[in-house]
Amino acid sequence: MRLSRYFLPVLKENPSEAQIVSHRLMLRAGMIKQASAGIYAWLPLGFKVLRKLENIVHEEQVRAGHIPMLMPTLQSADLWRESGRYDGYGEEMLRMQDRHGRDMLYSPTAEEMFTDVFRANVNSYKDLPLTLYQIQWKFRDEIRPRFGVMRGREFLMKDGYNFDLSKEDALHAYNRHLVSYLRTYERMGLQAIPMRADSGPIGGDYTHEFLVLADTGESEVFYDSEITDLTFGDRDIDFDSVEQCQAVLEEFTSRYARTDETHDEALFAEVPEDRRRTARGIEVGQIFYFGTQYSDAMGAAVQGPDGKPVSIHMGSHGIGVSRLLGAIIEASHDENGIIWPEGVTPFHVGIVNLKQGDEEADSACEALYDSFTAAGLDPLYDDRKERAGGKFATMDLIGLPWRITVGPRGLKNGVVELTSRRTGESEELPPEQAVEKIIQIYAKHRVTGL
Amino acid sequence: MRLSRYFLPVLKENPSEAQIVSHRLMLRAGMIKQASAGIYAWLPLGFKVLRKLENIVHEEQVRAGHIPMLMPTLQSADLWRESGRYDGYGEEMLRMQDRHGRDMLYSPTAEEMFTDVFRANVNSYKDLPLTLYQIQWKFRDEIRPRFGVMRGREFLMKDGYNFDLSKEDALHAYNRHLVSYLRTYERMGLQAIPMRADSGPIGGDYTHEFLVLADTGESEVFYDSEITDLTFGDRDIDFDSVEQCQAVLEEFTSRYARTDETHDEALFAEVPEDRRRTARGIEVGQIFYFGTQYSDAMGAAVQGPDGKPVSIHMGSHGIGVSRLLGAIIEASHDENGIIWPEGVTPFHVGIVNLKQGDEEADSACEALYDSFTAAGLDPLYDDRKERAGGKFATMDLIGLPWRITVGPRGLKNGVVELTSRRTGESEELPPEQAVEKIIQIYAKHRVTGL
């Protein structure tokens, strides 16, 4: 993309309504614009990252064997009356009537609707196991929406539902989700720690939240510092293997890690003192096993191997996709702006032309642009007639991990400058080598999506 | 995908609620399930096609230089009061109040919100031209939703908005949209004819609808038969070129082609009698130029080259993405089921194993599966223990354009059978040749998306 043809309305001033850094930077970098309280328009740069996160989540869910589909945002109240949640959900559920006076609601989650699709179509144990999921907009009418996309009212969520014949199978689904979530967050450059959680209004005995450590997190967290040394890395996991998934669960959840909701001082005291940590965390996902609660309420059973009906064991598993943008920025920024991890950056590399209009500089930039595009990478070329300082400030603000600076002086020596946003370090090298280096960096960060 | 692990709830019976063939086939092929009147859950097969259509629309919009972003589904009533449409829109607008009693609505279209983003961020003629678009769920509370996704209440729409300094520039944007839409529909295997249309509640002088000819179309159409000989083909269009885009517009709109809303008997009589055609058509898109109507109402102006404020010339341009599934099926099916065009098929090829459990047949199927996957194609392998007739019927119903049948008898001779869904013709050839042929067929039907 050439910046002169893009729509990137960056702000010079710090917006007064933003209390936390991710909200401030998303507004300043022209990623979002508030439409109503807790409801945002996703400007082109914000949408680009959102779509990339969505695609990463899809890829990792499909890798784990889960099947994508899509529910409508508006649902009939009747289904929610069946499960008993229509009256219980409270004021966060946005309700409305259609022109015929029928009670409708904007889906805040979708246990009922997935259970309904399941019971209408699956009759035999032979069709199990099954995990269906969607990435769809949800609405929760928060009384005090705040922190930008971190606590919005209309938000994009991945919600998945497993349908299994037994508790044992459902716990494998639970573990599979844990593994796929670890992979997902790592690809996004995040360390998200699974912590024992409270099941809240969804119910159930088994649940973990995934928390990203950040000073602005809404939860207080307590953990054994050994847990932050764990990485999932490039392991080749067989998601069908009960043992492999169980082993990952044990590795990542055996150390103490809890939020204030489930914190247990006595247990925490057993952690060696030099490894006890208290911090703040942002919740970016949660997994639940809740057994037959919804399937019993809604009559979702299948015929078992012996011909008798079996209640389905279910769980639900969520990732807050739009909120992840905020979490990533909270975890990765400096005083000049955002620092995108390579896995999620909206553009792979920025090209800054120090002397727009200079024939040699222009054609060197165009050649770089074409090389990146031909390699399947997505460069952002600042081709505006602006002074260098303004161009650098914009690139720093929007946080592309790599920048190539092109100017007449360097070109005379056959070099351009390659700068890392994270370290600020620069090196001069011939343009072809800069391109090659960038291509190599991104070789393991390809996002295909659905 | 292996069918034994997929969720494809096909129906044997014809669903009684479906009046038209696309609705019937989408229900039977397990693509959708009605959630409420005019509101559908997109089951995995339906979602897969929907996502592919969405990605094709994105690719073609980006190719034309248009910039993707995303608006929220829920909007404040205030913006619509500014434009004067809140009271005028009528009962098709779904209205609600949030917990604080603020008036909200589910966006049926987004002229107001895009104009608001524009006026808040663009001040100078130097930032023009600009075309922003989104693909987002919309809601229109139709009094009698029907025909499945063809006339649903919650539907996925691409809506784009151009912002230009003059009528001349805005008409180039109009033409650019016409060109990009022709490309888009052709990639989907559709012939969509631009017809002079009525501007309706959006207003404006210039508007074309795109109609797909089909017996079940809701509009009566009148056209010069020469128009159906036109194809866009592989032309390499420069979307910045006013001349090139204008020439395409003239080529595709100079012959008589109108819906009943704008039909003119006297003009139609000038078409040579043997070329006059009357048929039915399905509307799959519409483009508008409406001048300064919204920018004047909402104060969207920029500083012109002479320093004086200039009202922005706008247009809006829509593609009914979810409705396209219905239109494609109406235009491409037979008595056995859907026939997907290669550009939009949910899976590229079906693999039918005639003797599941036979070691040689199983491993031949697995080898085919791996070859396709390695080539970046998406096969559907029917690995169920079902009789051949049932497997063929399912493949015909869901409409994959190509099927490879693998059985012990053929394998003894070193061949598999490759069958075209459209012609029903089969040929026997060695597995590697079948793979090669399929790869070649899809070489020009790659969808990347955003």
Side-chain angles (χ1 to χ4, degrees), chain A residues 397-412:
Chain A
L397 175 61
I398 68 170
L400 309 187
W402 298 93
R403 185 186 82 209
I404 295 184
T405 310
V406 179
R409 201 171 340 156
L411 289 176
K412 219 167 269 171

Side-chain angles (χ1 to χ4, degrees), chain A residues 16-27:
Chain A
S16 58
E17 77 257 40
Q19 296 167 39
I20 61 171
V21 66
S22 61
H23 189 192
R24 203 154 56 229
L25 288 174
M26 287 182 77
L27 290 168

Side-chain angles (χ1 to χ4, degrees), chain B residues 293-310:
Chain B
Q293 178 182 335
Y294 291 89
S295 45
D296 286 342
M298 298 180 63
V302 298
Q303 202 175 47
D306 58 1
K308 291 182 188 151
V310 183

Side-chain angles (χ1 to χ4, degrees), chain A residues 195-431:
Chain A
M195 301 197 179
R196 184 167 303 192
D198 197 35
S199 64
I202 294 195
D205 299 329
Y206 292 77
T207 175
H208 280 91
E209 282 180 334
F210 290 78
L211 284 107
V212 173
L213 301 180
D215 295 341
T216 49
E218 60 214 325
S219 314
E220 193 170 10
V221 299
F222 305 84
Y223 62 95
D224 178 340
S225 68
E226 278 194 351
I227 212 163
T228 54
D229 299 332
L230 299 174
T231 53
F232 189 82
D234 285 337
R235 312 178 195 199
D236 190 14
I237 287 278
D238 174 1
F239 283 95
D240 290 335
S241 162
V242 171
E243 295 70 29
Q244 288 186 29
C245 291
Q246 177 70 26
V248 173
L249 174 99
E250 283 167 13
E251 179 183 352
F252 281 82
T253 64
S254 59
R255 291 170 189 79
Y256 191 91
R258 297 197 179 187
T259 67
D260 40 12
E261 284 177 342
T262 54
H263 181 51
D264 180 327
E265 273 298 342
L267 272 178
F268 193 45
E270 291 172 18
V271 178
E273 194 173 357
D274 62 322
R275 288 178 7 210
R276 272 181 239 154
R277 297 284 185 282
T278 308
R280 300 203 69 84
I282 301 168
E283 192 216 317
V284 292
Q286 188 160 5
I287 55 178
F288 293 97
Y289 162 70
F290 46 68
T292 61
Q293 179 181 335
Y294 290 90
S295 45
D296 286 342
M298 297 180 64
V302 297
Q303 201 176 49
D306 59 1
K308 290 182 189 153
V310 183
S311 279
I312 292 302
H313 287 255
M314 290 176 60
S316 70
H317 315 278
I319 293 179
V321 180
S322 48
R323 135 176 290 232
L324 273 167
L325 274 100
I328 293 168
I329 295 172
E330 290 293 334
S332 183
H333 66 272
D334 64 15
E335 66 282 8
N336 297 320
I338 302 166
I339 306 172
W340 291 115
E342 272 90 356
V344 303
T345 182
F347 295 96
H348 295 107
V349 56
I351 303 171
V352 169
N353 188 341
L354 292 178
K355 201 169 178 189
Q356 203 71 40
D358 175 89
E359 202 174 313
E360 210 186 343
D362 289 1
S363 74
C365 288
E366 291 291 339
L368 285 166
Y369 190 88
D370 291 344
S371 302
F372 287 125
T373 308
L377 293 179
D378 201 0
L380 180 67
Y381 170 24
D382 191 344
D383 60 343
R384 298 170 305 163
K385 291 209 169 173
E386 292 260 340
R387 56 185 186 77
K391 290 188 175 187
F392 290 148
T394 298
M395 284 291 176
D396 283 353
L397 175 61
I398 68 170
L400 309 187
W402 298 93
R403 185 186 82 209
I404 295 184
T405 310
V406 179
R409 201 171 340 156
L411 289 176
K412 219 167 269 171
N413 301 320
V415 296
V416 296
E417 191 183 54
L418 178 64
T419 306
S420 158
R421 172 70 181 87
R422 189 168 294 279
T423 66
E425 284 165 20
S426 290
E427 58 176 324
E428 296 198 323
L429 65 186

Side-chain angles (χ1 to χ4, degrees), chain A residues 72-90 93-95 103-114 116 119 138-140 159 161 201-202 294 297-298:
Chain A
T73 60
L74 296 194
Q75 306 184 352
S76 157
D78 293 341
L79 267 182
W80 290 72
R81 292 198 175 102
E82 248 188 277
S83 73
R85 288 209 292 180
Y86 186 67
D87 294 322
Y89 209 96
M93 179 183 279
L94 184 71
R95 296 152 210 254
D103 289 327
M104 317 265 298
L105 57 94
Y106 200 119
S107 171
T109 172
E111 280 79 6
E112 283 78 359
M113 191 155 272
F114 274 89
D116 184 51
R119 72 179 171 184
K138 308 285 190 302
F139 198 91
R140 288 182 197 161
D159 46 325
Y161 306 85
I202 294 195
Y294 290 90
M298 297 180 64

